[in-house]
Amino acid sequence: MAGLSILALGLMLGGAQARLSCTTDAFVSVLPANVTVTSATVVPQNGTFELDTTTGLPALCALTVNVPSSSNTSFNFGIYLPDNWNGRFLTTGNGGFAGGIRWESMAVFSMYGFASVSTDTGHISGPVDGSWAYNEPDKMYDWGWRAIHGSVVNSKLITEAYYETNISYSYYSACSTGGRQGFKELQLFPDSFDGVIAGAPAWDLVHLPTSTLKSGLYNLPANASHHIPYPLFQAIVDEVTRQCDPQDGLRDGIISDPYGCNFQFEQLLCSKAKTTNCVTGDQLDTVYKFYNDYVDVNQTFVFPGLALGADPSLLLSSPVGLGIDFYRYFIYNDSNWDYTSFTYADVQLAEKIRPGDAIADDFDLTPFKARGGKLIQYHGLADNLVQTGSSTLFRRKVYQAMLEAGSATGDEDIDEFYRLFMVPGMGHCSGSNIAPWYFAAADQAVTGATHSVPGFQDADHDILLSLMRWVENGTAPEHIIATKFVNDTVSQGVQSQRPLCVYPKQARYQGGNASEPTSWACESLY
Ligand SMILES: *[C@@H]1O[C@H](CO)[C@@H](O)[C@H](O)[C@H]1NC(C)=O
Ligand SMILES: *[C@@H]1O[C@H](CO)[C@@H](O)[C@H](O)[C@H]1NC(C)=O
Ligand SMILES: *[C@@H]1O[C@H](CO)[C@@H](O)[C@H](O)[C@H]1NC(C)=O
Ligand SMILES: *[C@@H]1O[C@H](CO)[C@@H](O)[C@H](O)[C@H]1NC(C)=O
Ligand SMILES: *[C@@H]1O[C@H](CO)[C@@H](O)[C@H](O)[C@H]1NC(C)=O
Ligand SMILES: *[C@@H]1O[C@H](CO)[C@@H](O)[C@H](O)[C@H]1NC(C)=O
Ligand SMILES: *[C@@H]1O[C@H](CO)[C@@H](O)[C@H](O)[C@H]1NC(C)=O
Ligand SMILES: *[C@@H]1O[C@H](CO)[C@@H](O)[C@H](O)[C@H]1NC(C)=O
Ligand SMILES: *[C@@H]1O[C@H](CO)[C@@H](O)[C@H](O)[C@H]1NC(C)=O
Ligand SMILES: *[C@@H]1O[C@H](CO)[C@@H](O)[C@H](O)[C@H]1NC(C)=O
Ligand SMILES: [Ca+2]
C-alpha cells in the first residue's frame, strides 16, 4: 500500500519514478557482498556532479561502485539514474587504452532518460598510455572484458532495485575501444543487450596495434630514401581526393567509395614537369604500403591498410604510442623494448598471448541474433587511426562464420540483425570539415547540442533512436541521415545533410541541391 501511494504521488509530481533512496546503503541487499557502492549523490535538475564537467544535468542519482575482480584488483563503475527515467538501460565504453569512468558520455545518455553506465575498466590512464598493463594480467582481463561485464550485471541489479521495476530494454553505444567492448560483450554474453551500436571498433586487439606500429615503421628511418617528410602528406591527400572524389556522382571533396577507386599511385611521382608536391619512386613504395593490406612473411595477411582518403599524418609520421605500448606492456613486459627491432615473430607471439582476451574474434553471432539482438556498426571512411577496412573485414568474418554455422544463407540473414554504415569523409568516430558526420553517436559532439540532433530528434537522424526503433518496433534502418552544422555549431544552422547507407550500398548524387538529403539515394553498386 505504502509503495503504491508513493508511486501515485510520484506520478502526480510529474513522473518522478525514483523510489529507493539515493544513498550508499540502499543497495546493500541487492548486490553481492563484495560489491560496494562507494558514493551516492543527489543531483538536482539543471545541476552538476563533481566528477563530471557537464553543466545542466537532469535531476538524477549518481553512484560510484567498486567491484573486486581478483585477490588484488578491482574496477569501478559510475551510474546515472535520472528521475525522469525512460525505462531503459544503456552502457557506454572507453577509448584507446584509457581507464576512467566516462561521466560526460553518461550525461549525454541520461538526457534521453537512460539509466547510464560507464566503467573505469580497472585503471586510470590516458588513451595512448599502456604502461598500467605492465606485469598486470588481471588488469588486462578487466580492460579486456571483465569490467564491462561486471558493470552491466551489477548496474542492472541497481537500476531495477532503484526504480522497483524491470528494465524494458538494454542498450550499448560506444566508439573505438568502446566498439570492441560492445562486440566482446555480445560475443561472450549475448543476453546483456537488446541493441548495440559499435563505432569504428578496435576489435582486433592483436593486429590493430601491430598495424599501428607497422604503419609508423614504414616511414623510418627518417634519413632513408623511402622516408616521406610531413609537408608531403597533404599532397598525397589532395591527389587521392582528385582521383577518388567523383565516383559518387559529385565532385565535392568527399570520397564515398575509396574501395571502388582505381587509384593511380604513380600520379604522385615527380617528373621534369612536376618537381614539388610529389614523391620519388622509393617514397611511392611507402605510400603504397600504407594504403594497402599489411602482408608479412609468406604472404600472410595481417591487417587492412588505411582507406584511400585517410590522412596519413597521424600514423605515418612516426610510430604511435598505441602500437609501441602494446608490445612493451601487453606482450613483452619490458618498458625498454626497442620497436625498431620489430619482426613478424613479434606478431606471432602476440597472437599466442592474446593479452587480456580482449580481441573480439568470436565471429559466429548466432546466439545474439537468436535472442533478438540488433547490431549497428559504423565507421568513418576517412578514419586515420582505426582502419576502415577492419570493419568490413569483421562483417565478412561474421558472414562466413554464420554461413558455416548454418544460421545464415545470405546477406539478407545478416542484415536482419546486423547493419554496417560507412560514413564518407568522417575521421575516427567523429568529425569532418566538409562532410555531414553528426548523427548523435557516442563521443560525437557539436556546439549547442546536449544530446541527439537538435531540430531532428528522430530515428532517421539519431543513430540511437534508430536502434531503438529497430529493437522495439522492428523497423530496420535503411539509412541514417548525417548532419553537418555550419562550423559544427547548432545555432549557425544546417550546412548539409546526406544519407549514410546500409553497407555495401552507397549514396549517389541524383541532382538538385547537394546539401539536401533527398538529392542522394542509397544504391547498390555491386
Ligand atoms: C541552469 O543553471 C544555470 C547555471 O548553472 C543557469 O544559468 C540557468 O539559468 C539554469 N537554467 C534553468 C532552466 O534553470
Ligand atoms: C565476489 O562475489 C561473487 C559472488 O559472491 C563471487 O562470485 C566472486 O568470485 C567474488 N569476487 C572476488 C574477486 O572474490
Ligand atoms: C597483483 O598480484 C599479481 C600476481 O600476484 C602481481 O603481479 C601484481 O603486481 C599485483 N597487482 C597489484 C595491483 O598489486
Ligand atoms: C520482471 O522480470 C522477471 C523475470 O525476468 C519476471 O518474473 C517478473 O514478473 C518481472 N516483473 C515485472 C514487474 O514485470
Ligand atoms: C642514417 O642514419 C644512421 C644513424 O644515424 C646511419 O648509420 C646511416 O648510415 C644513415 N643512412 C643514410 C642512408 O644516410
Ligand atoms: C614461411 O614458409 C617457409 C617455407 O614453407 C617455412 O619454412 C617458414 O617457417 C615460414 N615462416 C613463417 C614465419 O611462417
Ligand atoms: C608478459 O606478461 C603477460 C601477462 O602476465 C604474459 O601473458 C606474457 O607471456 C608475458 N610475456 C613474456 C614475453 O613473457
Ligand atoms: C514505436 O512506434 C510507435 C508508434 O508509431 C511510436 O510511438 C514509438 O515512439 C516507436 N518507438 C520507438 C522506440 O521508435
Ligand atoms: C566559422 O567560424 C570561423 C571562425 O572560427 C569564421 O571565420 C567563419 O566565418 C565561420 N563560418 C561561418 C559560415 O559562419
Ligand atoms: C541547399 O540546401 C542547404 C541546406 O538545406 C541550404 O542551406 C541552401 O540554402 C540550399 N541552397 C540553395 C541554392 O537552395
Ligand atoms: Ca564526392
Side-chain angles (χ1 to χ4, degrees), residues 274-295:
K274 185 175 169 194
T275 55
T276 58
N277 289 328
C278 56
V279 302
T280 64
D282 287 353
Q283 290 172 327
L284 193 65
D285 281 348
T286 303
V287 181
Y288 189 84
K289 283 178 186 155
F290 188 72
Y291 287 112
N292 276 281
D293 288 350
Y294 164 24
V295 173

Side-chain angles (χ1 to χ4, degrees), residues 494-497 513-517:
V494 172
Q495 178 173 317
S496 58
Q497 291 181 315
N513 184 340
S515 300
E516 295 283 354

Side-chain angles (χ1 to χ4, degrees), residues 3 11 55 57 80 147 152 159 164-165 169 256 325 390 447 486 509:
L11 290 173
T55 55
L57 288 170
Y80 274 161
V152 168
T159 303
E164 288 181 350
T165 180
Y169 295 97
S256 305
D325 278 18
S390 64
T447 304
V486 177
Y509 180 54

Side-chain angles (χ1 to χ4, degrees), residues 160 164-167:
E160 297 197 333
E164 288 181 350
T165 180
N166 287 347
I167 291 165

Side-chain angles (χ1 to χ4, degrees), residues 113-296:
F114 288 96
S116 315
V117 177
S118 163
T119 175
D120 67 1
T121 73
H123 71 273
I124 305 289
S125 82
V128 294
D129 175 9
S131 60
W132 55 266
Y134 182 67
N135 276 325
E136 293 284 1
D138 272 303
K139 288 192 178 185
M140 284 191 235
Y141 282 108
D142 286 347
W143 183 76
W145 60 269
R146 280 195 311 213
I148 284 281
H149 184 59
S151 302
V152 168
V153 169
N154 287 298
S155 53
K156 281 186 176 178
L157 294 174
I158 288 172
T159 303
E160 297 197 333
Y162 185 69
Y163 296 111
E164 288 181 350
T165 180
N166 287 347
I167 291 165
S168 58
Y169 295 97
S170 295
Y171 292 100
Y172 181 87
S173 177
C175 195
S176 199
T177 279
R180 177 188 64 77
Q181 291 167 311
F183 279 176
K184 194 72 192 173
E185 183 70 9
L186 75 81
Q187 290 172 2
L188 289 173
F189 306 99
D191 287 335
S192 287
F193 303 121
D194 300 294
V196 168
I197 299 172
W203 64 269
D204 188 342
L205 213 272
V206 168
H207 302 102
L208 170 61
T210 299
S211 83
T212 304
L213 175 58
K214 186 74 180 178
S215 298
L217 291 175
Y218 287 144
N219 208 25
L220 289 182
N223 63 354
S225 60
H226 65 258
H227 176 77
I228 305 171
Y230 193 92
L232 279 183
F233 292 154
Q234 188 58 45
I236 298 170
V237 172
D238 290 347
E239 179 59 25
V240 171
T241 305
R242 194 180 70 82
Q243 292 187 37
C244 302
D245 169 348
Q247 290 87 340
D248 54 23
L250 185 71
R251 199 180 267 289
D252 58 355
I254 302 169
I255 299 170
S256 305
D257 188 14
Y259 300 104
C261 177
N262 184 16
F263 185 64
Q264 304 299 301
F265 282 81
E266 54 280 6
Q267 291 295 315
L268 285 164
L269 285 171
C270 300
S271 67
K272 281 233 165 59
K274 185 175 169 194
T275 55
T276 58
N277 289 328
C278 56
V279 302
T280 64
D282 287 353
Q283 290 172 327
L284 193 65
D285 281 348
T286 303
V287 181
Y288 189 84
K289 283 178 186 155
F290 188 72
Y291 287 112
N292 276 281
D293 288 350
Y294 164 24
V295 173
D296 215 313

Side-chain angles (χ1 to χ4, degrees), residues 24-38 63-67 77 150-151 153-159 161:
T24 54
D25 297 341
F27 303 93
V28 170
S29 65
V30 298
L31 293 170
N34 57 8
V35 175
T36 314
V37 177
T38 47
L63 303 177
T64 54
V65 183
N66 180 265
V67 185
F77 66 86
S151 302
V153 169
N154 287 298
S155 53
K156 281 186 176 178
L157 294 174
I158 288 172
T159 303

Side-chain angles (χ1 to χ4, degrees), residues 216 230 233 290 311-320 384-386 428:
Y230 193 92
F233 292 154
F290 188 72
D311 188 323
S313 306
L314 179 63
L315 289 182
L316 205 49
S317 295
S318 62
V320 168
N384 60 351
L385 183 62
V386 174
H428 187 55

